Amino acid sequence: MLADLAAAHIELAQRTQSPRELLEAIEVSSQALELEPRSPPARFNLALAMGLLGLDERAAEGWRQFHMLDSTSAWAEEARHRARRPAAAPAARLPEPDASAAAVAAFAAAAPEEARLQGWTRLLGGWGEAFLAGDTVRAGERLRLAGALGAALEWRRGDATLADAVRAIHAVRGDEEAMHTLADAHRALARGRDEFLARRFESAERWFRRAVAGARGSAPLRQWATYFTGAALLGATRTAPAERVFHDALPGVDTVRQPALAGQLRWGLSTALLRSGDYEQGLVQARAAARLFARAGEPEQMARLQVVAADAEYALGNADAMHASMHRGLATLRARHPSVWLHNLLYIWSEAAEEDGYTRAAVQIQEEGVAAAARTRSPVHEAEARLARARRLTAKGDTARAVPDVELSRALLDGAPSGDWVRADLRLTEAGVWMRRDPRRANAALDSVVDYFEAIGNPARLVPALVARAKARLAIGRATAAEVDLARATELLQTLHSRIEAASLRASLLDAASQTVDQLVMLRVAAKDPVGALAYLERGRASFAPGTAGRPRKRPAPPPGHVAVEYALIGDTLLTWTVSNTAVHLTRATVDRERLTATLDDTRRMLERRTGDPGVRPALTELYDQLIRPVRERLGLGDTPLVIVADGEIAGFPLAALYDSARGRYLVQDHPIRFAASLRDADQGGRPRTSEAGTILLVRDPAFDRRAYPALEPLPGARLEAETIAAEYRNAKLLSGPEADRNGLEAALRDADILHYAGHAVFDEQRPIQSYLVLAPPRGGGLDGGRLSAAVIELLDLANLRLVVLSACRTSRAHGGRSGGFAGLAGALLAAGAGGVVGSLWLVQDELTRPLMVGFHRAYRESGDAAEALRTAQLRMLGSSDPGQQQAAAWAGFRYMGN
């Protein structure tokens, strides 16, 4: 069954062009081989999936093992055909000084990046060395060859900086002092790069600054030396000054004549932004750099940018885009000569695949990485790759296979002149292997690892070291020390958006199973069984309904008088169920998934940027026609309440703002809308409505630690909002300033029926369970850092809260996967027992949030129906005489989830 499932994933991968499906195929076929090592179908499918993914070495080994099982069948013949692959292109070599113009042009065409780099460092740097040594013959040879390479690159419309640098040298011929200065500057650039490659960044920076100072009369030399100065600053983890260097240098670059220089500067800026946690802008710069390298005709640089872009996409929560970027980069790099970047790509991809749940595929990717690193003939890179494989194997529990990699890595590093980074990796990996057998030994090894990464200021590497040491300390009974390590690791994770996985168990299990659930759903759809398809889909959805496990099984349905609309976007198929009482209808449509998801995302962004109705209405109309019009006749008469159940792609969109151009009405004008995580939640009927006010707790503008949150500002508008709302209720308690810490909030919640939070919230798109509400720092000390995370919230008992209103930014933001719009704060509150949550989809503004919140509470105090109250407040703004309040961008950003 697993082998057949692998075949289905391979078929789906070729239909959807999704590398992630190939990872799924590798995962399940590997699992099949663990159960039956001599299964020819499983062996065939594993080799096929690895070949399609681009893991050529692993595929070749897979086909060899298949032929050991089957060498005569038709499958064996196909395996022999697929096992044939062209050899990688050999490395292009720099022509000799007396080479013909044709040979120089051929080298520039075959390896433009290498030609540019060799021209700048080996040739112009060598010219500088020879000129200063008085060796005019050698100096002349190198300058002539540099000029020929520069002319060849310029002729093919590549980067012209090498040609311009040679022209600058010729321009000062006869001026001995100027020639001496330029020669010294070119020599400094070459020496600086040697120091940079040896990871001696402070020395490299001094050489590069010397090159900048001596580059008078040679603009391209000054520009490249400036770029390398920024790169050295990055290498020394001085991110902020490096970012300034790249940012200030970009305006002076001609992107037409100097595309590679502009690409390198944007690459450097991207890296600096990513390190500072600005993943969105980092991704923008990485993509811009890739376009510039395409213009320069340097495919290997483009492939390397795919690795950078993939890292940013994964940090932004877009795992599919990450896998696609890695796949595109691999397609280019695997066809070239041995490359450190191929090793880097496979190393990063293996790590990301493991974090994404593909533990077996991660091992296969890193197996390929070991082979790629060995071809670089660098003991440090080979040790790094082997240690990565050892960690993947240890994570699977296969320490027996991990130990030889650790031992060989130690031997490789013993003879290596550098590699402190990898030596720290060695100790970290050894600790993982020893953790169960000898935790004291693991703890001792981790002490030096933590010290090393602390000393070089690399939090991304420090976090796993701290977590591992905390685990070892707990194993040897040092609970207090372990707590300190975990507190430090948590602080780093939250402030620097590190990519160490800490997702909630519910969401991670559901999202990992989503591919299988989708396959089952589509099989039931093909069998014309909409009820069965919906049942499978519901099994894959989160549920916050209390007591679900002990209730009798029955077909879920919305409360009487409601219509449920459940969406599932599977590949390019949009499935829409409408459910009322016991009637179930399914509408199936083929859509352009990429266009639909892009339209959803772009339109949400336009609304967040407060784009006026005329500018955003065409997109809202297009989405209405796709999502609502096909089922409109089954939504009931006007004012029929709707319950929406949707995945992340659709759940993250303000459906209330969908616009029916035929009737000139927004969806909210026809129906009150609430979101539910599943039909099981909709079926629970909710708590009885009440117009009794109860006690409302209003948390307003907590006095957070400005040093811990330098990007956040106090919210005086939140104070006014809370005070205005408090006047609407008979029993209201205000919690603000330093009193609004975690202990104060939890104590006040015991007597509250309603919670209204008006402050700052931070949504973590990659790991929504780490999203948090910003509070005052704990009085008397504590480890929470002045924040209340979703992970903590879901462990609270909030069964007494019938409503939570989060008047803060992005408190009901969605992400991909079955946990959809209920990931993070909203899901955590519902899981803790709260009856319903009003939250925001984007950054909100005080002047628009206040009238919406006040209007909502006035309506809710009268009806006790949160969905209807939110609709009332939205319609009031829509009908306002203030044009700013009428815009969909002003009122559509909040939605209600729950009973």
Side-chain angles (χ1 to χ4, degrees), residues 92-217:
R93 300 183 62 181
L94 181 69
E96 296 298 324
D98 60 350
S100 66
V104 171
F107 176 65
E113 177 206 350
E114 189 69 14
R116 171 175 56 77
L117 190 58
Q118 293 277 17
W120 271 100
T121 55
R122 183 173 172 184
L123 296 180
L124 290 184
W127 167 78
E129 290 274 7
F131 181 89
L132 294 172
D135 188 343
T136 57
V137 174
R138 191 160 61 94
E141 289 176 346
R142 276 153 180 73
L143 189 60
R144 281 194 299 273
L145 185 52
L149 279 177
L153 290 171
E154 187 177 32
W155 180 83
R156 64 189 301 274
R157 297 184 179 180
D159 192 87
T161 55
L162 180 59
D164 288 341
V166 173
R167 292 189 186 102
I169 294 171
H170 286 304
V172 297
R173 278 187 179 276
D175 186 336
E176 192 67 21
E177 181 180 355
M179 287 285 284
H180 187 280
T181 300
L182 275 183
D184 183 73
H186 276 289
R187 180 181 64 177
L189 182 69
R191 288 187 176 180
R193 188 167 181 276
D194 289 341
E195 292 293 281
F196 181 86
L197 293 176
R199 303 184 67 83
R200 294 188 286 267
F201 298 118
E202 290 185 4
S203 174
E205 182 190 349
R206 289 194 294 271
W207 282 111
F208 293 142
R209 290 195 183 278
R210 179 171 173 171
V212 171
R216 295 187 297 273

Side-chain angles (χ1 to χ4, degrees), residues 247-308:
H247 185 273
D248 293 346
L250 271 167
V253 177
D254 182 346
T255 57
V256 175
R257 286 187 55 76
Q258 302 172 315
L261 173 61
Q264 289 285 178
L265 285 167
R266 290 202 179 275
W267 187 346
L269 181 57
S270 170
T271 303
L273 290 166
L274 292 173
R275 287 190 183 179
S276 64
D278 191 346
Y279 298 113
E280 190 166 353
Q281 282 304 310
L283 180 57
V284 168
Q285 294 297 335
R287 288 173 174 169
R291 290 193 294 271
L292 287 162
F293 283 121
R295 185 181 301 169
E298 299 187 5
E300 285 191 64
Q301 292 288 72
M302 288 176 60
R304 294 166 187 174
L305 261 299
Q306 294 290 351
V307 181
V308 178

Side-chain angles (χ1 to χ4, degrees), residues 471-785:
K471 182 179 179 181
R473 286 177 166 180
L474 282 172
I476 60 177
R478 297 181 60 191
T480 302
E483 188 176 8
V484 171
D485 276 350
L486 289 175
R488 173 68 174 140
T490 301
E491 178 187 350
L492 290 169
L493 283 168
Q494 293 168 337
T495 57
L496 298 177
H497 307 289
S498 177
R499 285 176 45 201
I500 306 303
E501 186 62 38
S504 71
L505 180 60
R506 181 190 301 108
S508 63
L509 288 173
L510 292 172
D511 290 347
S514 63
Q515 296 288 345
T516 303
V517 170
D518 287 350
Q519 296 244 341
L520 294 170
V521 169
M522 293 306 294
L523 286 172
R524 287 293 89 210
V525 169
K528 302 187 184 307
D529 180 9
V531 174
L534 181 59
Y536 274 124
L537 185 63
E538 281 286 301
R539 292 180 192 176
R541 293 204 186 280
S543 176
F544 303 101
T548 304
R551 300 163 83 201
R553 292 193 175 188
K554 63 186 182 72
R555 183 183 300 170
H562 290 58
V563 174
V565 184
E566 181 154 356
Y567 293 100
L569 185 58
I570 301 176
D572 286 333
T573 300
L574 176 63
L575 302 172
T576 309
W577 286 265
T578 53
V579 184
S580 57
N581 297 324
T582 58
V584 178
H585 297 274
L586 172 62
T587 301
R588 176 179 181 177
T590 300
V591 298
D592 183 337
R593 183 193 183 99
E594 185 175 354
R595 175 180 171 81
L596 175 58
T597 55
T599 302
L600 287 164
D601 193 47
D602 292 345
T603 308
R604 181 186 56 77
R605 291 178 187 274
M606 284 193 288
L607 290 167
E608 184 170 8
R609 293 193 299 264
R610 296 184 62 184
T611 301
D613 282 356
V616 74
R617 191 164 287 169
L620 294 172
T621 299
E622 177 185 340
L623 291 170
Y624 183 97
D625 291 341
Q626 283 191 281
L627 299 176
I628 299 297
R629 192 174 300 284
V631 298
R632 192 183 70 187
E633 299 303 318
R634 293 199 290 272
L635 300 185
L637 301 175
D639 298 329
T640 298
L642 299 184
V643 180
I644 305 294
V645 181
D647 294 341
E649 296 90 345
I650 298 172
F653 190 80
L655 297 184
L658 295 179
Y659 189 73
D660 182 357
S661 59
R663 298 185 299 137
R665 292 175 66 82
Y666 292 101
L667 184 62
V668 73
Q669 292 176 282
D670 292 328
H671 304 277
I673 301 168
R674 69 180 173 96
F675 282 78
S678 69
L679 272 181
R680 285 166 289 172
D681 294 62
D683 186 32
Q684 66 178 305
R687 304 179 188 191
R689 297 182 188 178
T690 175
S691 59
E692 295 178 7
T695 299
I696 182 170
L697 171 64
L698 298 114
V699 180
R700 55 178 186 175
D701 195 20
F704 57 87
D705 186 347
R706 297 293 300 279
R707 294 168 301 177
Y709 307 100
L712 302 183
E713 297 290 338
L715 299 171
R719 286 179 167 266
L720 178 59
E721 174 186 306
E723 290 165 2
T724 305
I725 293 169
E728 297 292 326
Y729 288 86
R730 182 180 305 168
N731 300 314
K733 179 176 180 179
L734 290 167
L735 194 66
S736 60
E739 294 180 349
D741 65 358
R742 176 177 165 183
N743 290 334
L745 174 59
E746 290 187 22
L749 281 173
R750 298 188 189 107
D751 300 317
D753 301 288
I754 304 167
L755 168 65
H756 182 101
Y757 173 87
H760 284 294
V762 176
F763 180 73
D764 188 332
E765 297 203 33
Q766 175 59 22
R767 287 159 299 276
I769 198 65
Q770 294 298 336
S771 304
Y772 55 91
L773 302 176
V774 179
L775 301 173
R779 289 165 288 176
L783 296 176
D784 64 64

Side-chain angles (χ1 to χ4, degrees), residues 818-833:
R818 282 288 130 78
S819 50
F822 290 82
L825 294 167
L829 287 161
L830 293 169

